Amino acid sequence: MSYSNKKKGIFAVSALTLIAAAAAAPAYAQDSGATSVQDLDQRIRILERQLEIQKEDSEAKAKEAAVVTAGDKGFSIKSAKGDYELQFRGLFQADARFFNGDNLGGNPGRLNDQFLLRRVEPTISGSLGKLVGFQITPQFGGDAPALLDFWGELRFDPAANVRVGRFKQPVGLENLQSSPALTFIERALPTSLVPSRDNGIQLHGQLFSQTLSYAIGVFNGGADAGDAATPDTDNRHDIAARVFAEPFKNSPGILQNLGVGIAATTGNAYGAANTVAIKSNYKSVAQNSFFAYRGTTNANGKHTHLAPQAYWYNNNYGILAEYVISRQELKNGLNERSVSHKAYQVAANYVLTGEDASFKGVKPKSPFKIGGDGWGAFEIAARTSALTLDSDTFIAGGGTSFADPTLAARKATEYGVAANWYLTTNAKIALNYEATRFDGGATALQGTDRQNERAIIARVQLAY
């Protein structure tokens, strides 16, 4: 083969190689590009699924996360389903008391004008599932710290709940009204004749579409207006029961907020004055003692209470009334007899700014705001109440009388007026004027009647 022909052959082979490479190159690039797109698409699908899983996990956790709330009813932490809840509430009441005309001498002599912390009550309450509820309320105001309420409750049904622990016996109407909701700064004289907090067990609930409420319980037993001591030391117990009906509760109209009821207790008590067996003293609305048993007087058997009660609220006005009879067998030496003390009250209130009056208090439509248009709610009220001691309390009866007529009054009659300013649902300023007239309770040189009491009482209240 000539050189020229050999050169032509080599060139032809090279050309064919280049052509083959050129033909192969586009196919290789195309295959590589397709593989990259598929891989990218696969990665995107994986990322999308991961995001979906993360979203599902977040939504699941959100459904199970606790809900924290804060408002005019307090602070709470609640489970997502609402079965478990922890509530934080509080009550603060700072009072001022000033007495007029108490420098005339006689019994009781000069009364102390003072500023005081009437109530400082933080409350922890809540539910542990749908079945269990609880409340803990200590008291840091007054003379010394104390435990007011400490109870647990099994909530089987709105018609049947079982409460165990320390709480108020279901007796006096105003005594059962919460302290922040009181129209007057202090409760009226009938509360002096009913038992207060005690240790026990109680069945209570609401029937007939919540138009009838009931409570019946067994308690250690305590003196009138007294918080029973713990533990129980006399091996005797009291039974207390209450029925309260609001027959028109579910029927809008003038009688919708009418409620009537009756409460009663029965039990036995034996023991000396100034114990849980017998009330050591009764106090005026301004919290000054006007009656006390002799130290040698003892409870000597049956002690019962009967307390008919009612309220009616319609729009911005309301009225509350109750009557209490406390009957107790007493003994002082050879003097043994049963005495019946009686008390009543009638109170009326009117909300000047048009908000609804109710047993649970007043909620202003336009809360007070500095520089704003809201001024809160204004309320006025008037009340009269009286407590009459059984005349047999002061008769010797072959022994020694149960009380000294020169020190203990036979009757106290109270007249009061109130003006309340509800700045917000949580803040209230109250001003009361209380005049109390006493029958008896002084020596002949002092005019036989205990000196009348006239008091101006003011309060700043914060409740949430």
Side-chain angles (χ1 to χ4, degrees):
M1 179 181 295
S2 64
Y3 173 77
S4 59
N5 290 335
K6 185 177 180 179
K7 186 177 180 180
K8 290 180 181 179
I10 294 172
F11 177 78
V13 173
S14 300
L16 290 173
T17 302
L18 291 172
I19 292 171
Y28 174 77
Q30 184 177 0
D31 290 343
S32 178
T35 301
S36 299
V37 171
Q38 292 175 359
D39 182 65
L40 181 60
D41 182 66
Q42 184 65 23
R43 289 174 179 272
I44 292 173
R45 291 177 182 274
I46 292 173
L47 289 173
E48 289 177 344
R49 181 54 186 158
Q50 289 177 341
L51 290 174
E52 289 176 357
I53 293 173
Q54 290 178 359
K55 183 179 179 181
E56 291 171 358
D57 289 343
S58 298
E59 291 176 348
K61 291 179 180 179
K63 290 180 180 180
E64 298 177 356
V67 179
V68 179
T69 61
D72 56 16
K73 295 182 179 180
F75 305 91
S76 70
I77 303 173
K78 183 186 295 186
S79 65
K81 294 182 179 180
D83 294 347
Y84 290 82
E85 183 176 12
L86 186 63
Q87 295 180 322
F88 302 91
R89 295 178 288 116
L91 172 63
F92 171 82
Q93 293 176 339
D95 290 5
R97 297 175 187 163
F98 301 98
F99 298 93
N100 181 34
D102 60 332
N103 58 351
L104 303 178
N107 188 0
R110 192 171 185 85
L111 300 172
N112 292 326
D113 298 340
Q114 60 179 313
F115 298 95
L116 71 155
L117 294 179
R118 185 67 172 89
R119 293 182 179 89
V120 181
E121 301 173 4
T123 295
I124 300 175
S125 62
S127 58
L128 304 174
K130 294 183 178 180
L131 181 63
V132 179
F134 68 91
Q135 179 172 310
I136 304 170
T137 303
Q139 162 69 286
F140 297 107
D143 298 328
L147 182 61
L148 295 185
D149 296 299
F150 194 128
W151 53 260
E153 189 170 75
L154 296 176
R155 297 168 175 169
F156 297 107
D157 186 89
N161 304 276
V162 178
R163 181 175 296 180
V164 180
R166 182 176 180 81
F167 49 93
K168 289 181 179 180
Q169 288 195 31
V171 187
L173 178 60
E174 194 178 31
N175 189 50
L176 292 173
Q177 189 175 24
S178 66
S179 296
L182 293 174
T183 302
F184 282 78
I185 290 176
E186 297 290 350
R187 292 178 171 90
L189 291 171
T191 299
S192 294
L193 292 186
V194 298
S196 189
R197 290 175 171 86
D198 201 353
N199 290 1
I201 180 170
Q202 173 180 284
L203 173 67
H204 64 99
Q206 294 181 314
L207 304 170
F208 308 118
S209 300
Q210 301 183 344
T211 60
L212 180 70
S213 61
Y214 74 93
I216 181 168
V218 180
F219 300 88
N220 283 343
D224 293 348
D227 290 344
T230 183
D232 185 15
T233 58
D234 65 359
N235 197 33
R236 296 179 178 86
H237 303 93
D238 288 356
I239 297 175
R242 178 177 185 256
V243 176
F244 196 82
E246 298 174 278
F248 308 103
K249 184 176 182 178
N250 301 318
S251 303
I254 193 171
L255 298 178
Q256 184 175 16
N257 295 311
L258 171 68
V260 295
I262 190 167
T265 76
T266 184
N268 291 287
Y270 294 85
N274 202 29
T275 69
V276 296
I278 180 174
K279 179 66 176 177
S280 61
N281 61 76
Y282 295 119
K283 293 183 178 181
S284 68
V285 170
Q287 302 302 292
N288 292 303
S289 175
F290 67 86
F291 172 88
Y293 288 106
R294 295 183 189 272
T296 53
T297 299
N298 288 264
N300 191 45
K302 183 73 71 176
H303 188 188
T304 63
H305 297 87
L306 184 65
Q309 52 202 240
Y311 62 61
W312 175 55
Y313 297 95
N314 183 49
N315 297 324
N316 58 331
Y317 56 88
I319 187 169
L320 181 149
E322 62 179 324
Y323 186 79
V324 177
I325 302 174
S326 175
R327 180 186 297 271
Q328 187 167 21
E329 295 181 4
L330 301 176
K331 178 181 180 180
N332 195 334
L334 298 177
N335 184 12
E336 298 183 23
R337 66 184 67 202
S338 175
V339 298
S340 295
H341 305 323
K342 303 174 183 179
Y344 73 86
Q345 77 150 315
V346 178
N349 62 315
Y350 183 81
V351 185
L352 299 172
T353 44
E355 286 84 354
D356 289 338
S358 78
F359 189 69
K360 296 182 179 180
V362 176
K363 184 175 182 178
K365 295 179 180 178
S366 301
F368 175 75
K369 185 177 181 181
I370 298 176
D373 296 330
W375 280 95
F378 293 90
E379 176 187 41
I380 56 174
R383 176 179 72 186
T384 182
S385 68
L387 191 158
T388 303
L389 286 304
D390 193 323
S391 58
D392 284 351
T393 306
F394 304 94
I395 297 177
T400 304
S401 64
F402 301 139
D404 185 347
T406 65
L407 298 175
R410 300 187 306 272
K411 182 178 181 180
T413 304
E414 171 255 349
Y415 302 94
V417 291
N420 299 320
W421 180 20
Y422 299 86
L423 288 80
T424 69
T425 303
N426 306 109
K428 173 183 175 182
I429 297 176
L431 183 65
N432 291 184
Y433 178 76
E434 297 284 356
T436 304
R437 186 186 73 244
F438 301 100
D439 295 346
T443 65
L445 294 177
Q446 297 167 338
T448 68
D449 290 335
R450 181 186 179 92
Q451 181 180 314
N452 292 342
E453 181 183 282
R454 291 182 289 274
I456 297 174
I457 310 174
R459 169 172 292 172
V460 174
Q461 172 179 291
L462 303 178
Y464 63 89

